[in-house]
Amino acid sequence: MVHNIQLFLFFVVFLNYLQAEEIWFVKFSYKHNYLSRIEKTFPLIDLLQYDYDQSSCIFLVPQNYLLNFARFIQQHNGFYRIMLDNTKDTLKKFQLRSKRWTPSDNPLDKTFYQHFLSYDEQQNWYSLLANSSLTKKFIRLHTIGYTYENRSLTVVQIHSKYRRRYKQQQQRRKLSVFIDGGMHAREWLSIGVANFVLIQFLTLKENNLKVQRILRHFDIFVLSMMNPDGYEYSRTHNRLWRKNRSPTIVSDYWDIDESCCGVDLNRNFPYQWDSIYGSSNHPCSHSYRGSHPSSESEVQSVVNFLQTNTYSRNKFYAYFNLHAYGRFWLLPWTYSTLNKVQNYEDLLKRCNQIASNVMNQTYKVGQASFLLYPCSGTSIDFAATLMPHSMTLELSPTFKGLPMCFETNQTVDHNCTVGFLAGPEVIEIDGTEVFNAIVEYLDSIIQDYFLSRNT
Ligand SMILES: [Zn+2]
């Protein structure tokens, strides 16, 4: 009993410290991977941006770390500057930034991708897709599971009228492609871009030869909003929220401080779960891996969906996992810097080619554990055990040469862009780039592997 009271008091004191946070730009004087040491010493720190080449990071630093973290940086010959203090209050203005809008009757209209839709608006849009004469013949909706707060995980399947003809001619099943967005709550752009990609496939299915060829070979499945509980929380409470909203082992206390609630979905997948640093066992960490593999209903639903083929009957062949931000095209493995997936050279060549053709060579392509940092329990590592083409696209709020606002400390200057806070006007710019990349990628697979046998 005494022990429990002490534990409770410890948490009250400890968690109250976390109420105020600051965003720091940190640069070390020479290249070295400090991240694992920082993570061990400061488990509740939140890494917002990492640039290995520049040896610089942007961190969300809890109040009670400020002194010791500054000391750590000095001891390692680095420097830091505060980019934003009192972060939560400052960022409140970015919550609920989507304005009131009147949706169109046409589900392919730009009103649906020029806004960050709320969960309810997204569900209404799905209903419109399923009922509109423009789209209902070409899509199916699948509810693959429910979140802790009982929101549905809705996958849109795009299929084509060419299916039967293709099957009769080729005597061969189509393959499936999975695209997801919104795994991390604060990465709103990835949800908008997933919706944009879906709209583009449906818009161009009648008059774009590459899209038609892709839909002859593949059914496309899009889960735009993988973490709707976390996303809604980031809209209404904390713009920089990353995890889902399920209770953790210290959930009795999470109403004192929010950080101790939720699991990082991209550390909870069952392959190589908890096998390396970069995946925290601390329930209050922003990269908490969960109590066991697939402990989260969002993850278990996607795992079942990809493994069982219940909805597609066709095998999954490619997976595009959308995050924001960084302009990285990340390949498995994430958990290891020593091993490579079997077809790594093919993936690397293909992605580099497409990045230079349709992305202005502005995406860095490479193994996730090298380009970013090693971590385990990720969705692309799990998917790579099931299918040959599995990758993450870290989208970009930087475009047309504009600097990141965090770098210039101009958080509301319209001459810069703001990382997670990028506005909905970026959706179409990034969406076009990502849609073109996915189309080129799938078409290149068809050319290389299917076209000699099939047409
Ligand atoms: Zn992410």
Side-chain angles (χ1 to χ4, degrees), residues 100-356:
R100 284 196 160 275
W101 57 288
T102 315
S104 158
D105 290 339
N106 173 0
L108 305 181
D109 190 89
K110 62 186 176 188
T111 56
F112 292 97
Y113 61 74
Q114 288 184 339
H115 293 84
F116 290 126
L117 305 183
S118 69
Y119 169 79
D120 288 338
E121 289 164 347
Q122 181 88 11
Q123 294 305 113
N124 290 339
W125 178 53
Y126 289 147
S127 302
L128 195 58
L129 278 170
N131 292 310
S132 164
S133 58
L134 289 170
T135 48
K136 64 181 178 188
K137 278 186 288 186
F138 304 102
I139 65 134
R140 286 189 198 115
L141 297 183
H142 306 290
T143 301
I144 63 165
Y146 292 89
T147 65
Y148 174 73
E149 292 175 352
N150 208 31
R151 294 187 175 90
S152 62
L153 299 167
T154 308
V155 172
V156 182
Q157 175 185 3
I158 310 169
H159 60 94
S160 75
K161 62 185 177 184
Y162 304 110
R163 184 179 184 138
R164 186 174 294 167
R165 199 178 82 193
Y166 172 82
K167 281 175 73 176
Q168 281 174 351
Q169 281 182 352
Q170 310 305 336
Q171 299 293 309
R172 192 167 171 275
R173 273 189 187 281
K174 288 166 80 175
L175 294 163
S176 294
V177 173
F178 183 49
I179 301 167
D180 69 8
M183 190 182 288
H184 288 141
R186 62 195 177 196
E187 299 172 19
W188 296 5
L189 181 60
S190 65
I191 299 172
V193 167
N195 285 342
F196 182 84
V197 168
L198 177 55
I199 285 176
Q200 285 300 94
F201 268 114
L202 289 169
T203 304
L204 297 176
K205 67 187 181 324
E206 300 290 1
N207 49 23
N208 180 300
L209 288 177
K210 277 187 185 172
V211 170
Q212 286 176 347
R213 185 157 58 214
I214 287 167
L215 294 178
R216 276 204 295 275
H217 288 81
F218 299 108
D219 275 347
I220 312 281
F221 294 80
V222 183
L223 172 60
S224 298
M225 210 180 270
M226 186 183 166
N227 178 11
D229 292 355
Y231 174 61
E232 282 300 308
Y233 192 77
S234 80
R235 287 173 66 89
T236 55
H237 288 79
N238 178 351
R239 180 62 188 86
L240 292 181
W241 188 253
R242 172 181 165 95
K243 301 188 279 183
N244 72 354
R245 294 297 303 161
S246 69
T248 63
I249 195 167
V250 292
S251 60
D252 283 353
Y253 309 104
W254 76 262
D255 58 339
I256 299 169
D257 188 276
E258 59 182 1
S259 304
C260 303
C261 175
V263 170
D264 182 345
L265 300 181
N266 211 25
R267 303 291 182 273
N268 190 240
F269 277 81
Y271 183 67
Q272 295 289 339
W273 180 83
D274 195 29
S275 69
I276 196 167
Y277 58 82
S279 158
S280 177
N281 61 5
H282 197 308
C284 305
S285 163
H286 297 274
S287 54
Y288 177 48
R289 57 168 170 46
S291 57
H292 56 275
S294 304
S295 60
E296 303 312 293
S297 58
E298 297 88 342
V299 170
Q300 188 60 57
S301 302
V302 169
V303 166
N304 288 345
F305 174 69
L306 295 178
Q307 262 177 343
T308 60
N309 300 328
T310 306
Y311 302 96
S312 72
R313 290 186 292 132
N314 304 325
K315 265 181 92 68
F316 278 97
Y317 194 73
Y319 171 43
F320 298 94
N321 172 230
L322 305 183
H323 288 252
Y325 57 96
R327 293 190 85 75
F328 293 113
W329 196 329
L330 304 173
L331 306 172
W333 302 111
T334 314
Y335 78 91
S336 170
T337 51
L338 300 173
N339 305 324
K340 288 194 182 327
V341 279
Q342 214 175 9
N343 59 341
Y344 181 76
E345 294 307 323
D346 172 70
L347 294 175
L348 186 68
K349 197 173 147 204
R350 201 177 295 279
C351 295
N352 267 322
Q353 181 83 46
I354 292 160
S356 75

Side-chain angles (χ1 to χ4, degrees), residues 72-88:
F72 176 94
I73 294 165
Q74 280 159 4
Q75 282 167 357
H76 293 83
N77 299 317
F79 76 87
Y80 72 93
R81 68 182 161 77
I82 299 168
M83 295 165 58
L84 208 60
D85 57 7
N86 203 1
T87 308
K88 279 179 193 160

